[in-house]
Amino acid sequence: MACLQCATACLQEADPKPMARCIALDTECADICQHAVASIARGDEHMQGICALCARVCSRCAAECGIHDMDHCKRCAEACKRCAETCIAMAH
Protein backbone atom coordinates (compact mmCIF):
# COMPACT_ATOMS: atom_id res chain seq x y z
CA MET A 1 0.00 0.00 0.00
CA ALA A 2 2.81 2.43 0.86
CA CYS A 3 4.40 1.83 -2.54
CA LEU A 4 1.22 2.62 -4.44
CA GLN A 5 0.69 5.74 -2.35
CA CYS A 6 4.28 6.79 -3.03
CA ALA A 7 3.97 6.21 -6.78
CA THR A 8 0.74 8.19 -6.89
CA ALA A 9 2.24 11.05 -4.89
CA CYS A 10 5.36 11.07 -7.09
CA LEU A 11 3.19 11.34 -10.19
CA GLN A 12 1.49 14.38 -8.66
CA GLU A 13 4.79 16.23 -8.15
CA ALA A 14 5.22 19.39 -10.23
CA ASP A 15 7.91 17.61 -12.26
CA PRO A 16 7.55 13.84 -11.89
CA LYS A 17 10.27 13.05 -14.45
CA PRO A 18 13.11 12.93 -11.87
CA MET A 19 10.98 10.45 -9.91
CA ALA A 20 10.75 7.94 -12.77
CA ARG A 21 12.94 5.29 -11.09
CA CYS A 22 11.09 5.73 -7.80
CA ILE A 23 7.73 5.33 -9.52
CA ALA A 24 8.89 2.27 -11.47
CA LEU A 25 10.26 0.56 -8.35
CA ASP A 26 7.16 1.49 -6.36
CA THR A 27 4.88 -0.23 -8.86
CA GLU A 28 7.15 -3.26 -9.22
CA CYS A 29 7.40 -3.57 -5.46
CA ALA A 30 3.65 -3.30 -4.97
CA ASP A 31 3.10 -6.01 -7.58
CA ILE A 32 5.60 -8.49 -6.09
CA CYS A 33 4.32 -7.81 -2.57
CA GLN A 34 0.77 -8.65 -3.63
CA HIS A 35 2.03 -11.81 -5.28
CA ALA A 36 4.04 -12.76 -2.19
CA VAL A 37 1.03 -12.27 0.10
CA ALA A 38 -1.11 -14.48 -2.12
CA SER A 39 1.62 -17.12 -2.31
CA ILE A 40 2.05 -17.16 1.47
CA ALA A 41 -1.72 -17.39 2.00
CA ARG A 42 -1.92 -20.39 -0.31
CA GLY A 43 1.25 -22.02 0.97
CA ASP A 44 2.53 -22.26 -2.59
CA GLU A 45 5.36 -24.56 -3.53
CA HIS A 46 7.53 -21.63 -4.63
CA MET A 47 6.64 -19.33 -1.75
CA GLN A 48 10.20 -19.14 -0.41
CA GLY A 49 11.60 -18.11 -3.79
CA ILE A 50 8.86 -15.53 -4.26
CA CYS A 51 9.58 -14.13 -0.79
CA ALA A 52 13.31 -13.97 -1.55
CA LEU A 53 12.57 -12.02 -4.75
CA CYS A 54 10.16 -9.79 -2.87
CA ALA A 55 12.85 -9.02 -0.29
CA ARG A 56 15.28 -7.97 -3.04
CA VAL A 57 12.74 -5.75 -4.76
CA CYS A 58 11.65 -4.20 -1.45
CA SER A 59 15.27 -3.48 -0.53
CA ARG A 60 15.86 -1.73 -3.86
CA CYS A 61 12.66 0.24 -3.51
CA ALA A 62 13.60 1.26 0.05
CA ALA A 63 17.02 2.41 -1.14
CA GLU A 64 15.56 4.48 -3.97
CA CYS A 65 12.79 6.03 -1.89
CA GLY A 66 15.27 6.69 0.91
CA ILE A 67 17.26 9.15 -1.22
CA HIS A 68 14.28 11.44 -1.76
CA ASP A 69 13.17 14.11 0.72
CA MET A 70 9.41 13.80 0.30
CA ASP A 71 7.48 12.41 3.26
CA HIS A 72 5.68 9.85 1.09
CA CYS A 73 9.05 8.51 -0.09
CA LYS A 74 10.38 8.31 3.49
CA ARG A 75 7.25 6.41 4.60
CA CYS A 76 7.59 4.06 1.66
CA ALA A 77 11.27 3.43 2.39
CA GLU A 78 10.46 2.44 5.98
CA ALA A 79 7.59 0.17 4.92
CA CYS A 80 9.79 -1.50 2.31
CA LYS A 81 12.57 -2.09 4.84
CA ARG A 82 10.12 -3.83 7.17
CA CYS A 83 8.67 -5.87 4.32
CA ALA A 84 12.13 -6.94 3.14
CA GLU A 85 13.00 -8.13 6.65
CA THR A 86 9.78 -10.13 6.88
CA CYS A 87 10.23 -11.65 3.43
CA ILE A 88 13.80 -12.67 4.25
CA ALA A 89 12.48 -14.51 7.29
CA MET A 90 9.76 -16.18 5.20
CA ALA A 91 12.30 -17.22 2.55
CA HIS A 92 14.19 -19.40 5.03
Side-chain angles (χ1 to χ4, degrees):
M1 184 67 125
C3 288
L4 291 177
Q5 291 172 336
C6 186
T8 300
C10 286
L11 286 168
Q12 294 172 352
E13 293 289 329
D15 182 14
K17 198 168 191 170
M19 304 304 295
R21 178 148 170 78
C22 185
I23 294 164
L25 283 170
D26 285 339
T27 55
E28 182 179 21
C29 192
D31 287 347
I32 191 64
C33 285
Q34 287 178 340
H35 188 67
V37 166
S39 181
I40 292 165
R42 291 187 304 260
D44 287 346
E45 175 181 348
H46 300 288
M47 178 195 75
Q48 289 178 311
I50 292 167
C51 287
L53 176 60
C54 187
R56 287 193 304 273
V57 174
C58 284
S59 293
R60 288 185 182 136
C61 189
E64 176 64 26
C65 285
I67 66 172
H68 301 290
D69 292 330
M70 290 77 94
D71 287 340
H72 57 86
C73 285
K74 298 296 182 192
R75 284 191 302 272
C76 184
E78 287 305 312
C80 285
K81 286 177 192 174
R82 288 190 309 273
C83 186
E85 292 168 1
T86 301
C87 282
I88 288 168
M90 293 296 293
H92 297 291

